[in-house]
Amino acid sequence: GRVLEGAVQSLAEESGKWHECVRLMDELGERGLPRTEPAFTAAIAACSRALQWEEALRLLQEMMGSGGVKPSQ
């Protein structure tokens, strides 16, 4: 969990890596692995910086959807 969360956050900090953040978040969801609020926030921020508002909105909707977020501790 924390390793993957860190990977999303690291990718989010690199310019132009928004698509990799989205891919990793999608893969985590498909595998039924937890996607934490900090990971979602980092991916949404990366999309926002890249002006990818549609992807940012989709991730936000997933985060707020049924069981989409495991609370960070």
Side-chain angles (χ1 to χ4, degrees):
R2 293 268 185 227
V3 171
L4 295 173
E5 180 179 304
V8 171
Q9 291 174 331
S10 292
L11 286 170
E13 292 171 2
E14 294 183 41
S15 179
K17 299 282 185 165
W18 67 269
H19 57 283
E20 292 181 38
C21 289
V22 170
R23 182 187 56 76
L24 182 53
M25 291 297 289
D26 288 344
E27 188 173 323
L28 290 172
E30 290 168 6
R31 292 180 182 213
L33 297 171
R35 298 182 292 172
T36 63
E37 185 177 345
F40 268 111
T41 301
I44 290 168
C47 290
S48 178
R49 282 192 301 275
L51 304 178
Q52 300 296 321
W53 65 268
E54 290 149 334
E55 288 293 339
L57 181 58
R58 181 180 67 82
L59 288 169
L60 180 61
Q61 290 171 333
E62 287 182 19
M63 182 173 84
M64 297 175 69
S66 60
V69 171
K70 176 183 177 190
S72 58
Q73 297 179 15

